[in-house]
Amino acid sequence: MPILDWIGKKQVINHDKEVPFRLLKRVHSLSVGESENLIIKGDNLEALKALLPYYYNNVKCISIDPPYNTGKEHWVYSDRVNSSEMRKWLGNVVGDIKEDLSRHDKWLCMMYPRLSLLKQLLSNDGIIFVNIDDNEIQNLLNLMDEIFLEKNRLAVLVWDLGTGTTAGHFTRAHEYVVVYAKNKDILSNFKNIEDGENIVHGALKKPSKANPYSEIEFPAGIEFEGDNATFEGEI
């Protein structure tokens, strides 16, 4: 299998093992009841390592939305891996060669140890979804093929944005969701949702003002099961 190389790779390839374990501290003033759900504030690399003793090989589904590395500097965050925190981290991990890194090198250095920890958290029959766009789709696929193995790639889904944005010579109206399994061989096949004799097909779209959540009307007589099912009116 082809392997992607970049400046700084040898410094980060085992960095997940070098990240120190940190204890999670509960903030009671921000807590609601005794729920086991967690919202963790802090560096996501340290947060993932802190979760490892509790959830190693135990998470069924992971969905992440990493920076797309568009090159925008003055957005809601620096989307060129150039924040002061990231520059400091790169200096500590890769050393002086950080001056030779392109923004794509930096992005790959950032992503590798995080994806490695996410794989360790994923259960043997677990699945991971990663949002991305054109800027890093190819680099992401190469990373995922190396860490999760190419044989465990399930799909590269097209995410319909609902609106078009100018991107170079074309109007781009989609992003991607890359899907990998921890172990594809033990997964059951995904099935289409059937409504009578008709197969229901639909595009995955981001909710927005131009693309609000939809209301679905089911045929009379259809039966539902589930503790979280809610209904209005009569069926």
Side-chain angles (χ1 to χ4, degrees), residues 143-173:
L143 274 189
M144 298 295 286
D145 283 350
E146 181 173 339
I147 296 171
F148 288 85
L149 302 183
E150 184 180 5
K151 68 177 184 178
N152 290 317
R153 185 191 299 185
L154 294 179
V156 179
L157 306 177
V158 174
W159 184 297
D160 187 347
L161 295 173
T163 58
T165 58
T166 301
H169 298 291
F170 297 91
T171 298
R172 181 172 56 80

Side-chain angles (χ1 to χ4, degrees), residues 9-21:
K9 181 176 182 178
K10 69 178 182 180
Q11 284 84 0
V12 300
I13 197 167
N14 290 311
H15 183 63
D16 59 293
K17 300 177 182 62
E18 300 167 357
V19 178
F21 286 98

Side-chain angles (χ1 to χ4, degrees), residues 97-115:
I97 65 167
K98 69 182 177 68
E99 303 303 328
D100 301 324
L101 272 58
S102 71
R103 67 181 173 91
H104 298 288
D105 293 320
K106 294 175 183 177
W107 188 87
L108 288 162
C109 286
M110 174 194 70
M111 291 295 294
Y112 198 100
R114 289 162 172 81
L115 289 171

Side-chain angles (χ1 to χ4, degrees), residues 12 15-16 43-46 48 64 86 89 107-121 128 147-148:
V12 300
H15 183 63
D16 59 293
D43 186 311
N44 56 18
L45 187 62
E46 295 180 352
L48 290 171
I64 64 172
M86 187 54 62
W89 179 80
W107 188 87
L108 288 162
C109 286
M110 174 194 70
M111 291 295 294
Y112 198 100
R114 289 162 172 81
L115 289 171
S116 296
L117 286 171
L118 287 166
K119 182 183 180 183
Q120 295 173 57
L121 289 168
I128 181 170
I147 296 171
F148 288 85

Side-chain angles (χ1 to χ4, degrees), residues 44-223:
N44 56 18
L45 187 62
E46 295 180 352
L48 290 171
K49 192 64 176 277
L51 289 171
L52 206 56
Y54 303 97
Y55 297 103
Y56 173 77
N57 203 36
N58 201 37
V59 179
K60 288 274 192 177
C61 181
I62 295 174
S63 177
I64 64 172
D65 190 9
Y68 287 3
N69 201 17
T70 61
K72 294 180 181 178
E73 185 70 68
H74 302 292
W75 194 43
V76 290
Y77 57 84
S78 174
D79 197 22
R80 57 179 301 158
V81 201
N82 198 39
S83 65
S84 57
E85 295 84 359
M86 187 54 62
R87 290 197 301 271
K88 180 180 178 181
W89 179 80
L90 287 168
N92 292 335
V93 176
V94 306
D96 293 338
I97 65 167
K98 69 182 177 68
E99 303 303 328
D100 301 324
L101 272 58
S102 71
R103 67 181 173 91
H104 298 288
D105 293 320
K106 294 175 183 177
W107 188 87
L108 288 162
C109 286
M110 174 194 70
M111 291 295 294
Y112 198 100
R114 289 162 172 81
L115 289 171
S116 296
L117 286 171
L118 287 166
K119 182 183 180 183
Q120 295 173 57
L121 289 168
L122 207 60
S123 62
N124 289 332
D125 60 346
I127 302 175
I128 181 170
F129 297 80
V130 186
N131 289 55
I132 203 68
D133 76 355
D134 300 73
N135 288 280
E136 296 290 359
I137 178 66
Q138 191 57 55
N139 285 333
L140 175 64
L141 288 172
N142 284 325
L143 274 189
M144 298 295 286
D145 283 350
E146 181 173 339
I147 296 171
F148 288 85
L149 302 183
E150 184 180 5
K151 68 177 184 178
N152 290 317
R153 185 191 299 185
L154 294 179
V156 179
L157 306 177
V158 174
W159 184 297
D160 187 347
L161 295 173
T163 58
T165 58
T166 301
H169 298 291
F170 297 91
T171 298
R172 181 172 56 80
H174 68 277
E175 295 174 359
Y176 306 95
V177 183
V178 173
V179 190
Y180 280 72
K182 179 78 166 282
N183 186 345
K184 183 179 179 180
D185 294 336
I186 66 174
L187 286 183
S188 300
N189 291 329
F190 296 103
K191 298 180 179 179
N192 290 315
I193 301 172
E194 296 190 10
D195 175 13
E197 297 180 355
N198 298 318
I199 305 295
V200 179
H201 297 281
L204 186 61
K205 294 185 177 182
K206 279 187 176 180
S208 65
K209 291 182 179 179
N211 179 46
Y213 288 103
S214 300
E215 293 184 0
I216 301 175
E217 183 176 345
F218 293 96
I222 194 168
E223 296 182 359

